[in-house]
């Protein structure tokens, strides 16, 4: 039984949305039609029953009028299913149809003095298992009150096979028309989804420039297409960035490796003339550059992957003080730190961000680097400013791109990786903040803004 239920569920799950919606719509319409048909059939039955009752009373009146006019009981109708009894004032059965000629009075209203009455009569001896519409009709004659009992077949629940057939045909037509209309409407509604699905199937990693068509109507499907195109935009940007990243990475990795290979090959060609201490120091410089590059690449990979970060409560002023105490200083560092500027974040990441900004500032500073920690309208602000040549306004966004190094930076430090500032900005954004370059009368002023700890 359980396996059957699972199989049915699986079949239902394998059905398309169009089929499921059509089936649900048809089922709802079938339920509505069934209820309406049942109510309508009941109403029709009541109307037919009322009409039959009125005809029965009219027949009773006609019989009594003939008795009054002629003084004798007229021939009684022999319609199948109809029963008639006439009793004189003494209660003697004086006339009856053959099916109730020897039966007691059909109605139990013999004591009713005046006025006719209609009632339901079931399980008569002449009609076992059947119900009848009965009428009790007393009328006066010169010798006293006579009583007329009549019964005709009751109206069945389906009224008649013709009426039932009409209801069944109407039910089938309505449900079928509803299912057909629902199938077409759902098909037209979901047509954009089929088009989007086909278009998405055509898009490959090698060509992410294609986009799904956007429906004309401003509805959920349009929003779906727009979101899909936005996702494709992000995917194309990410893939292009990864390609560029791989290309730039291979280039930057090749440089120290090539330098190391050249040093080793020259030393091996002339081992007797090689200063091995100098060679070792040169190789160590290349290894350190390679190590720095690999470390930066690993940091970028973690940030790109959205690896979960810690949520420490950090005092920015205390973080700056502790980081400065660990760094050798090539230039004078001036700090202007507001205490108790608390933020929530990953201490190691923020320390890396600060270190990257200080490395950049010291590389370009003439004699002084200034660090400020302040509050500004619910935001913690960290500024690192040097007294160097500064950055042209049109280059302020470029320097945050990976592996991008301005000519001045290459002259200052040929061994840089071009990843320090991009990593710093990515860390800032992962903390819900921003890292920008602000205006300053001299040098470059990097401004970090992240939300204060609540």
């Amino acid at each position: 039984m359980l396996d059957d239920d699972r199989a049915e569920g699986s079949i239902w799950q394998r059905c398309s949305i169009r089929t499921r919606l059509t089936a649900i719509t048809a089922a709802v319409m079938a339920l509505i039609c069934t209820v309406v048909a049942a109510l309508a059939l009941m109403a029709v039955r009541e109307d037919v029953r009322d009409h039959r009752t009125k005809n029965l009373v009219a027949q009773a009146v006609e019989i009594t009028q003939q008795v009054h006019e002629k003084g004798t009981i007229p021939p009684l109708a022999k319609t199948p299913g109809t029963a008639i009894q006439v009793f004189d004032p003494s209660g003697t059965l004086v006339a009856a149809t053959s099916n109730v000629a020897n039966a007691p009075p059909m109605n139990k209203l013999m004591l009713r003095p005046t006025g006719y009455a209609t009632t339901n009569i079931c399980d008569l001896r002449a009609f076992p298992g059947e119900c009848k519409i009965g009428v009790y009709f007393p009328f006066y004659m010169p010798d006293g009150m006579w009583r007329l009992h009549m019964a005709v077949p009751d109206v069945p629940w389906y009224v008649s096979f013709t009426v039932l057939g009409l209801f069944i045909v109407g039910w089938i037509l309505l449900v079928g028309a509803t299912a057909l209309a629902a199938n077409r409407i759902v098909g037209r509604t979901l047509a954009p989804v089929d088009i989007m699905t086909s278009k998405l199937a055509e898009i490959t990693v090698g060509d992410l420039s294609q986009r799904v068509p956007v429906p004309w109507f401003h509805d959920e499907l349009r929003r779906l297409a727009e979101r899909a195109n936005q996702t494709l935009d992000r995917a194309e940007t990410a893939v292009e960035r990864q390609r560029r990243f791989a290309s730039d990475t291979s280039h930057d990795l090749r440089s120290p490796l090539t330098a190391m290979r050249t040093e080793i090959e020259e030393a091996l060609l002339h081992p007797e003339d090689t200063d091995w201490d100098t060679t070792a120091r040169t190789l160590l410089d290349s290894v350190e550059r390679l190590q720095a590059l690999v470390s930066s690449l690993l940091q970028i990979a973690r940030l790109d992957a959205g690896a979960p970060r810690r949520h420490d409560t950090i005092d920015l002023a205390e973080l700056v003080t502790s980081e400065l105490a660990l760094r050798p200083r090539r230039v004078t560092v001036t700090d202007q730190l507001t205490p108790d500027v608390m933020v929530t974040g990953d201490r190691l990441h923020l320390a890396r961000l600060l270190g990257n900004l200080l490395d950049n500032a010291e590389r370009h500073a003439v004699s002084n680097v200034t660090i400020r920690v302040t509050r500004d309208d619910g935001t913690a602000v960290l500024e690192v400013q040097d007294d160097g040549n500064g950055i042209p306004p049109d280059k302020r966004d470029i320097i945050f791109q990976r592996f991008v190094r301005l000519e001045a930076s290459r002259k200052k430090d040929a061994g840089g990786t071009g990843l320090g500032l991009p990593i710093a900005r990515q860390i800032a954004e992962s903390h819900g903040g921003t890292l920008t370059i602000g205006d300053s009368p001299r040098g470059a002023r990097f401004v970090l803004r992240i939300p204060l700890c609540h």
Side-chain angles (χ1 to χ4, degrees):
M1 184 66 180
L2 184 59
D3 292 339
D4 292 342
D5 294 340
R6 289 177 179 175
E8 291 176 2
S10 178
I11 293 173
W12 176 253
Q13 291 171 0
R14 287 198 299 268
C15 292
S16 65
I17 295 178
R18 182 174 183 175
T19 302
R20 291 202 299 267
L21 290 178
T22 300
I24 292 172
T25 304
V28 172
M29 189 61 184
L31 179 61
I32 294 174
C33 288
T34 301
V35 173
V36 172
L39 294 176
L41 196 61
M42 291 172 59
V44 171
R45 180 177 182 272
E46 288 299 318
D47 287 343
V48 173
R49 198 171 188 277
D50 289 343
H51 180 71
R52 187 170 294 184
T53 301
K54 290 177 181 179
N55 286 340
L56 182 61
V57 172
Q59 293 178 17
V61 171
E62 182 179 357
I63 291 175
T64 58
Q65 287 179 347
Q66 291 182 10
V67 172
H68 279 293
E69 292 173 359
K70 299 179 180 180
T72 59
I73 299 173
L76 300 179
K78 297 181 180 180
T79 305
T82 300
I84 302 175
Q85 293 176 323
V86 181
F87 293 89
D88 63 13
S90 64
T92 302
L93 180 63
V94 296
T97 55
S98 59
N99 47 19
V100 289
N102 299 315
M106 291 183 292
N107 291 304
K108 307 300 181 182
L109 301 173
M110 294 294 291
L111 299 179
R112 185 181 178 91
T114 58
Y116 74 91
T118 58
T119 183
N120 287 337
I121 307 173
C122 295
D123 295 326
L124 290 174
R125 187 170 60 186
F127 307 99
E130 298 182 21
C131 286
K132 302 286 185 178
I133 300 175
V135 62
Y136 165 73
F137 202 96
F139 60 97
Y140 283 97
M141 294 293 289
D143 57 346
M145 180 179 291
W146 289 54
R147 293 175 176 83
L148 173 64
H149 297 258
M150 297 183 65
V152 295
D154 200 356
V155 180
W157 65 269
Y158 54 86
V159 182
S160 69
F161 290 112
T162 301
V163 173
L164 182 62
L166 290 175
F167 273 104
I168 292 175
V169 171
W171 186 94
I172 293 173
L173 291 176
L174 281 174
V175 174
T178 301
L180 181 61
N183 186 269
R184 291 187 175 181
I185 292 172
V186 174
R188 291 181 180 178
T189 303
L190 295 179
V193 176
D194 294 334
I195 296 174
M196 284 187 280
T197 301
S198 300
K199 177 59 68 173
L200 287 173
E202 297 174 2
I203 298 174
T204 62
V205 177
D207 181 16
L208 291 174
S209 61
Q210 300 186 63
R211 296 294 179 267
V212 300
V214 178
W216 186 76
F217 293 102
H218 292 268
D219 54 12
E220 292 82 357
L221 294 179
R222 182 185 181 92
R223 290 196 293 274
L224 174 62
E226 292 173 345
R227 294 295 181 271
N229 286 336
Q230 291 172 4
T231 301
L232 289 172
D233 290 338
R234 291 193 296 269
E236 184 179 19
T237 302
V239 170
E240 182 60 31
R241 185 170 57 190
Q242 291 296 330
R243 289 172 179 167
R244 188 169 60 252
F245 177 73
S247 176
D248 294 338
T249 300
S250 62
H251 178 271
D252 278 59
L253 286 173
R254 190 182 301 115
S255 297
L257 290 173
T258 301
M260 293 168 65
R261 182 182 181 89
T262 301
E263 288 289 335
I264 294 172
E265 287 178 347
E266 288 182 359
L268 292 176
L269 285 174
H270 307 285
E272 66 281 355
D273 298 329
T274 299
D275 185 346
W276 291 101
D277 289 340
T278 302
T279 301
R281 281 192 292 270
T282 303
L283 291 175
L284 184 60
D285 290 340
S286 296
V287 169
E288 288 177 349
R289 181 184 175 190
L290 186 61
Q291 185 179 13
L293 179 59
V294 171
S295 177
S296 297
L297 293 176
L298 289 174
Q299 181 70 35
I300 286 179
R302 294 190 189 99
L303 292 173
D304 286 344
R309 58 180 178 84
R310 295 170 58 87
H311 295 276
D312 305 319
T313 301
I314 304 166
D315 185 338
L316 276 187
E318 184 273 329
L319 177 66
V320 172
T321 301
S322 61
E323 288 299 313
L324 289 178
L326 299 174
R327 294 176 62 88
R329 303 188 184 183
R330 187 181 62 82
V331 296
T332 302
V333 178
T334 304
D335 57 70
Q336 301 172 8
L337 309 178
T338 301
D340 298 326
V341 179
M342 311 300 293
V343 297
T344 300
D346 190 312
R347 185 181 183 89
L348 293 177
H349 284 189
L350 291 178
R352 177 67 182 270
L353 183 154
L354 177 60
N356 289 356
L357 294 181
L358 288 174
D359 289 340
N360 182 78
E362 291 178 355
R363 185 181 305 119
H364 296 281
V366 176
S367 60
N368 182 263
V369 173
T370 302
I371 303 177
R372 301 182 186 89
V373 173
T374 58
R375 296 187 188 86
D376 180 24
D377 191 24
T379 304
V381 181
L382 170 66
E383 298 182 18
V384 178
Q385 182 176 353
D386 61 68
D387 60 352
N389 295 328
I391 302 172
D394 60 334
K395 304 293 185 182
R396 291 181 177 179
D397 286 333
I398 297 177
I399 63 170
F400 289 107
Q401 297 179 10
R402 296 173 182 178
F403 297 106
V404 171
R405 303 186 69 205
L406 302 182
E407 187 63 28
S409 177
R410 294 184 183 276
K411 290 180 180 179
K412 293 281 186 179
D413 182 12
T417 63
L419 294 174
L421 294 178
I423 289 175
R425 170 170 277 189
Q426 201 163 353
I427 292 174
E429 292 175 349
S430 70
H431 284 72
T434 59
L435 178 61
T436 57
I437 301 176
D439 296 328
S440 60
R442 184 180 180 184
R445 182 170 68 93
F446 288 83
V447 182
L448 168 68
R449 296 177 177 272
I450 54 178
L452 285 168
C453 179
H454 296 291

